[in-house]
Amino acid sequence: VENQPSDTPNEGFNTVPKCMWFAIVTVSTVGYGDLFPETDAGRAVTTVMIVSGVLYVAMPLGIVGNAFSAAWENRFELAIMSDVQRRFKLFGIGAEAFRD
């Protein structure tokens, strides 16, 4: 990874597409390093963007992980229910057979 020498001026965020590129790369936590803020205010905004990007990804992952864990714990019950339903259909037994 090459660092930009301090005597070379940073082109900065002089166009809207460059700003959008920086925002997408930062929020997605990829961080290529081709654009970077040089001021303290820019670094503060970037820090907020990085943290919000991590939280934006972490929250759905926690929800999906929890749902997967619950399904994994009940996998045997789900497999048995599916097998019973398949066998009922195979022998032509419907819900009306269980009514009073």
Side-chain angles (χ1 to χ4, degrees):
V1 177
E2 293 181 20
N3 290 331
Q4 187 173 8
S6 59
D7 59 342
T8 305
N10 184 2
E11 290 182 19
F13 305 98
N14 52 7
T15 65
V16 173
K18 280 188 178 182
C19 293
M20 290 173 59
W21 170 252
F22 177 76
I24 291 169
V25 167
T26 302
V27 171
S28 66
T29 66
V30 173
Y32 289 118
D34 54 347
L35 291 174
F36 53 91
E38 292 183 345
T39 64
D40 290 337
R43 289 185 189 110
V45 170
T46 302
T47 302
V48 170
M49 290 173 62
I50 291 169
V51 170
S52 64
V54 168
L55 293 176
Y56 183 75
V57 172
M59 293 299 262
L61 284 178
I63 294 168
V64 170
N66 189 25
F68 177 78
S69 179
W72 186 257
E73 288 176 6
N74 298 327
R75 67 187 181 277
F76 295 116
E77 291 87 358
L78 293 171
I80 290 170
M81 271 187 4
S82 177
D83 190 46
V84 168
Q85 288 175 350
R86 185 183 57 82
R87 289 176 189 248
F88 278 171
K89 286 181 184 177
L90 181 67
F91 293 109
I93 301 172
E96 60 277 348
F98 297 100
R99 293 191 182 140
D100 292 325

